[in-house]
Amino acid sequence: MSDTIAADQLRLIIERVERLEEEKKGISDDIADVYGEAKSTGFDVKTIKTIVRLRKMEKHHRDEAEALLETYKQALGLA
């Protein structure tokens, strides 16, 4: 009896993961569509992706990353 329960649990877990993977694919497609729309409007997608990445960061991490970038740019004569 417990083998049946374990098999049922495993099947349900796998089905949930499969559903979530499908949803993730759909969301990824939606995000790609939005970036495509931005590009067709004339926005630079690479810059938008950078801004999205920066907005996900906590302020002190973003400040640290920007300071390091500035330091490296100065060291390479890019500033």
Side-chain angles (χ1 to χ4, degrees):
M1 182 85 147
S2 67
D3 288 341
T4 303
I5 293 171
D8 287 343
Q9 273 185 312
L10 178 59
R11 182 182 48 77
L12 289 173
I13 288 170
I14 290 170
E15 288 173 356
R16 283 176 51 203
V17 169
E18 289 171 340
R19 271 194 309 278
L20 290 169
E21 288 290 341
E22 281 294 317
E23 290 176 25
K24 184 170 75 172
K25 168 92 170 80
I27 290 171
S28 292
D29 291 345
D30 291 346
I31 291 169
D33 290 345
V34 172
Y35 282 127
E37 179 182 333
K39 183 177 180 177
S40 69
T41 307
F43 291 106
D44 182 68
V45 173
K46 185 176 179 180
T47 302
I48 291 172
K49 288 181 179 184
T50 300
I51 295 296
V52 169
R53 182 178 47 80
L54 288 172
R55 287 173 52 113
K56 288 180 186 178
M57 297 172 83
E58 294 179 15
K59 182 174 178 3
H60 68 277
H61 288 140
R62 187 172 55 245
D63 291 344
E64 181 181 331
E66 289 174 357
L68 280 171
L69 178 62
E70 189 60 34
T71 300
Y72 289 8
K73 284 171 47 178
Q74 287 178 6
L76 297 171
L78 299 172

